Amino acid sequence: MSTTADEHRPKFGNIIEPASAGFYGVPEEVSDYGVRRVVLLFVLWFILSFVPVPLIQHNAIWIIAALAAFYADQIRRKLKKGKDGRYDWEEKMLRKMFAKAKANRWTEYRPGPSSDLPDGSYRAPGLLAATQMQQYQESYGNDYAFLWDPGRKSGTVFFSVSAPGLQLLDQSFINSMVAQWAAYHRAAGIQSSILQVAAITESTMDTGTRLPQAVGQFRSYAGDHEVPTVAREVIDEVIDIENQQKPRVEHIVSMTFSAKAIPESGLPVRNAATLAEEISTVMHGFAEGLSAASSGTVSIMDAQSVIDYYFTAYNPAKDTAIDQARQEVDGTGLVWENIGPDYHNVHEDYYEHSHFFSKSFQMWRPPMSLFQENALQELLGADRKLTKKRVTIFFRPLPPDSSQKQALEAVNNARFFRGQKGNKGGSSAAAVTEKAQRTENEMGDGALLVPFSLIATVTTDNPDKFPNLSADLKRRGSTGIMIQLREATMSHDAAFSMGLGAGLVPIDFKMSAR
């Protein structure tokens, strides 16, 4: 009997949605809203009972009943689903916030010397405006970029990952890489100050300047040494072939650490320098973990490399100039305060920045079926129709105690939901219960929960291309892993900033039904 390679490929799944079942299937955000109103009604009833006005005392029950009916209707409206899985109240809140921003001209950004910015700079707009770029040395003496967010008391460091891909690798080796990636997240979960790990994959078409410049530099090193003509001709031919609109894929992993006090770990509030010193002792270990998980080369990024990368995200037309400047001795000379766009306009359906247009997509439904290690290959792959495509996956490794607690809550919620009327015999309720139970069992074997989310951003030179590009991206997302994506309508600027993986944690910007 022969076996195929697929029989030895591990399959992944068991992804559970951590949202609470709430009260009889009502989501936690809405059930909290209802509980507060019920308490309010009881307090109001008690107060009305003592009001020395007979008319009010005799009609207190009717007043309470009218308010109860009103609140019940409000809860019903909040439970109504809008487009792409959003609740109706979320849609209305987004529209209201966008209309307010539009009326106040907050959707326009005009930086530079003639702007209202005190330093006349081109800062990154919005959520990243207050961030500060610093540079420190890790324990092995390598310089590393440290992006400090004074408002959120967090610091972010960056790793550049050069991975060979899955082609020509034995399946057993690939399985080992997957295991190393899991071990990396476990190590991150044990480090109590880590808020988030963001894996960024950006694809674009190569500018065609890096290879000729690199070859030119090596030839200059040869000086007057005689080089065979055939060798020169072969290298020239390689340059001609490899510089014909080839896709370029870059991988960056960022790690965000909190400087806030963590009483359970005995950590006090720290400033930027203290947090950076703490990070410097663990950076090399995380770099080695990434190297094992990617089977490639991992470099700790210095401040200039990070600045150059984010500058081209906001200013795609400068890609070629940046590539050329990076080959020079003096580099680009850019500073963090000038990475932003020449201008930007936030539209309802896309984000306009420096004469380019970006549209972002959020994962609103995680994969429900089993998938393999190459399931995201279609989504992450380069696309010639796009100026840039950036897919960022946010991981939030939980410490062991939180993992155990949330796994147990998931089991209890699943059992409660299955025990409710109408769900006892449902296959979906049984599947949810089984997955939650399996997760709790894995916690007993030493695994940790890793909540995750995903933002994909596509950038083009013409917004008229978006209908076809959007349909293609959603198709790519559903290929192999069945991820459901929705447009970040009326919040494309915030989604763009968050998708950069520069230390913004999605859960911090969750909307409330209040």
Side-chain angles (χ1 to χ4, degrees), residues 143-433:
D143 291 336
Y144 71 90
F146 178 81
L147 184 61
W148 172 246
D149 190 328
R152 300 178 182 87
K153 299 293 183 190
S154 64
T156 303
V157 297
F158 305 84
F159 303 88
S160 175
V161 181
S162 178
L166 301 179
Q167 295 81 7
L168 304 179
L169 293 180
D170 292 337
Q171 187 59 47
S172 59
F173 193 79
I174 294 174
N175 296 348
S176 175
M177 291 167 61
V178 173
Q180 291 292 339
W181 182 234
Y184 174 85
H185 284 296
R186 176 171 174 77
I190 294 174
Q191 186 81 22
S192 58
S193 60
I194 290 181
L195 294 175
Q196 174 178 274
V197 174
I200 309 154
T201 299
E202 182 176 284
S203 60
T204 183
M205 302 311 294
D206 196 271
T207 60
T209 62
R210 295 186 303 163
L211 184 58
Q213 282 186 312
V215 172
Q217 283 186 348
F218 279 110
R219 283 177 171 173
S220 67
Y221 297 154
D224 297 331
H225 291 284
E226 184 176 349
V227 178
T229 304
V230 175
R232 287 186 175 274
E233 291 177 349
V234 169
I235 294 298
D236 290 339
E237 186 176 349
V238 169
I239 294 175
D240 290 338
I241 294 173
E242 293 300 326
N243 256 13
Q244 300 299 318
Q245 284 293 298
K246 295 294 183 181
R248 172 178 173 180
V249 180
E250 293 182 274
H251 303 282
I252 292 176
V253 173
S254 67
M255 301 185 71
T256 302
F257 296 75
S258 174
K260 296 180 180 178
I262 308 176
E264 56 270 23
S265 300
L267 291 174
V269 177
R270 289 142 292 162
N271 57 24
T274 305
L275 180 63
E277 183 179 355
E278 176 187 321
I279 294 173
S280 66
T281 62
V282 299
M283 279 198 70
H284 190 76
F286 282 117
E288 288 183 339
L290 283 174
S291 180
S294 64
S295 186
T297 303
V298 175
S299 303
I300 297 173
M301 297 180 70
D302 61 15
Q304 194 63 64
S305 299
V306 175
I307 290 169
D308 295 344
Y309 171 77
Y310 284 114
F311 176 80
T312 58
Y314 282 106
N315 304 276
K318 305 291 180 63
D319 270 354
T320 301
I322 293 299
D323 272 353
Q324 292 175 341
R326 286 180 63 83
Q327 298 294 327
E328 303 296 332
V329 176
D330 296 332
T332 64
L334 288 169
V335 295
W336 182 255
E337 288 73 22
N338 286 326
I339 66 163
D342 297 336
Y343 75 95
H344 89 197
N345 295 314
V346 184
H347 302 273
E348 182 174 329
D349 294 322
Y350 58 87
Y351 174 51
E352 179 184 358
H353 53 101
S354 296
H355 306 287
F356 282 81
F357 308 87
S358 293
K359 186 186 283 284
S360 295
F361 300 79
Q362 308 160 328
M363 180 185 73
W364 67 275
R365 180 177 291 169
M368 301 300 292
S369 58
L370 296 175
F371 55 92
Q372 295 175 329
E373 74 278 350
N374 60 349
L376 284 174
Q377 192 168 343
E378 187 73 15
L379 179 62
L380 300 179
D383 190 336
R384 293 177 181 272
K385 301 187 292 293
L386 293 168
T387 303
K388 283 181 184 290
K389 179 173 67 173
R390 182 172 53 255
V391 180
T392 304
I393 307 177
F394 304 90
F395 301 95
R396 191 162 49 89
L398 298 179
D401 53 345
S402 296
S403 294
Q404 291 283 356
K405 181 180 177 181
Q406 292 200 22
L408 182 58
E409 286 180 355
V411 172
N412 292 335
N413 288 334
R415 289 173 178 170
F416 177 73
F417 180 73
R418 189 178 184 184
Q420 292 174 6
K421 186 177 180 180
N423 294 326
K424 292 184 178 180
S427 58
S428 61
V432 170
T433 304

Side-chain angles (χ1 to χ4, degrees), residues 15-21 28 366 396 398 406 409-410 413 449 451-452:
I15 295 175
I16 59 174
E17 297 190 55
S20 169
E28 188 174 9
R396 191 162 49 89
L398 298 179
Q406 292 200 22
E409 286 180 355
N413 288 334
L449 281 181
F452 71 98

